[in-house]
Amino acid sequence: MRSSSANEMRAPRGNSHTHTWPLFVTSSAVPRKFAEEKGAGRRRVAMASELELPLVQDAELTNCMRLRVRSLQQRNEKPQDGEKLLRPNEFVYRVDFSQQHNLRFVRWDVALEKPGKVDIIGTSQHWTPDLTHLMRRQLLEPVGVFWKTPDSPEVECNEADALEFGERLVELAKIRKVMYFLLAYADGLEPAHLKCSVVFKV
């Protein structure tokens, strides 16, 4: 994945092709099998200390929030003051922290099967979906924005925001075993087109 920042590592100028390797976000253009095989034993040892946690769509919670919207519309009622209602292009995801302490953020691993854009919005530890509605004040900043253009095979992002967002997850993991996210798709992108995980050093 290519970041919009210039903070990248480039291969030495010894041939006619230049490969760009970002510091914080991986490329969907590099097959995982190739990445694992490259470097053989040394690579496997280095990767052994990484923890990759996928963002998994929570279909039940997504449906529950959509029912909330329909219920308000049918009864012609307004939401609570400050309540966040789920839009048609938004879906609820979750990350289950199998380890909560001694984490160090490494990168976002985002793959998009087609051009488009996705916003990844974190929610605070104060939102308990089984007890309360989601409030706008519980949406975290910065937002992770990832996109791919038709003329590029790379997924891009704002590196500074992606780094800050990932580092904030380290702190939230200490006090919450499960964290919820809102993912907003745009420009023709849908949930089926996305694979996303966050990687930590442990």
Side-chain angles (χ1 to χ4, degrees), residues 132-188:
T132 61
H133 300 305
L134 178 62
M135 309 304 286
R136 292 187 177 278
R137 66 176 180 273
Q138 294 171 332
L139 301 178
L140 303 179
E141 293 184 350
V143 173
V145 182
F146 301 86
W147 68 90
K148 184 161 71 171
T149 60
D151 58 347
S152 174
E154 300 283 338
V155 176
E156 302 181 62
C157 73
N158 181 296
E159 183 179 291
D161 286 348
L163 174 60
E164 183 180 347
F165 190 12
E167 290 179 337
R168 188 162 190 182
L169 298 187
V170 172
E171 299 304 316
L172 290 168
K174 296 176 182 178
I175 53 179
R176 189 102 189 224
K177 189 172 180 62
V178 178
M179 183 172 175
Y180 295 95
F181 300 79
L182 296 187
L183 269 66
Y185 294 90
D187 302 331

Side-chain angles (χ1 to χ4, degrees), residues 94-111:
R94 62 185 286 162
V95 166
D96 292 79
F97 292 101
S98 56
Q99 179 173 328
Q100 294 181 260
H101 300 279
N102 301 317
L103 299 176
R104 182 166 63 86
F105 173 73
V106 177
R107 66 182 181 274
W108 291 92
D109 195 345
V110 179

Side-chain angles (χ1 to χ4, degrees), residues 6-191:
N7 187 14
E8 298 173 333
M9 297 184 292
R10 298 184 180 274
R13 301 189 181 189
N15 51 44
S16 59
H17 300 284
T18 301
H19 300 279
T20 303
W21 298 96
L23 293 175
F24 305 112
V25 190
T26 61
S27 170
S28 61
V30 180
R32 182 175 297 278
K33 183 178 179 181
F34 174 82
E36 291 174 348
E37 293 176 352
K38 192 74 171 177
R42 292 194 303 272
R43 179 71 171 179
R44 294 190 187 96
V45 171
M47 296 296 288
S49 61
E50 289 189 351
L51 175 66
E52 182 174 359
L53 301 177
L55 272 70
V56 179
Q57 186 177 343
D58 193 321
E60 183 177 353
L61 185 50
T62 299
N63 185 57
C64 181
M65 294 188 69
R66 298 212 191 285
L67 289 175
R68 168 67 174 167
V69 175
R70 285 200 288 271
S71 176
L72 291 173
Q73 292 173 342
Q74 291 170 356
R75 293 182 294 179
N76 198 27
E77 295 180 354
K78 294 182 178 181
Q80 293 181 10
D81 187 29
E83 181 181 354
K84 164 62 181 174
L85 296 179
L86 204 64
R87 297 176 178 174
N89 68 319
E90 295 175 333
F91 298 79
V92 182
Y93 285 68
R94 62 185 286 162
V95 166
D96 292 79
F97 292 101
S98 56
Q99 179 173 328
Q100 294 181 260
H101 300 279
N102 301 317
L103 299 176
R104 182 166 63 86
F105 173 73
V106 177
R107 66 182 181 274
W108 291 92
D109 195 345
V110 179
L112 302 178
E113 291 184 0
K114 58 176 292 186
K117 181 173 77 78
V118 60
D119 294 351
I120 302 179
I121 308 165
T123 66
S124 78
Q125 72 274 19
H126 300 296
W127 182 38
T128 50
D130 55 332
L131 298 176
T132 61
H133 300 305
L134 178 62
M135 309 304 286
R136 292 187 177 278
R137 66 176 180 273
Q138 294 171 332
L139 301 178
L140 303 179
E141 293 184 350
V143 173
V145 182
F146 301 86
W147 68 90
K148 184 161 71 171
T149 60
D151 58 347
S152 174
E154 300 283 338
V155 176
E156 302 181 62
C157 73
N158 181 296
E159 183 179 291
D161 286 348
L163 174 60
E164 183 180 347
F165 190 12
E167 290 179 337
R168 188 162 190 182
L169 298 187
V170 172
E171 299 304 316
L172 290 168
K174 296 176 182 178
I175 53 179
R176 189 102 189 224
K177 189 172 180 62
V178 178
M179 183 172 175
Y180 295 95
F181 300 79
L182 296 187
L183 269 66
Y185 294 90
D187 302 331
L189 211 60
E190 298 179 357

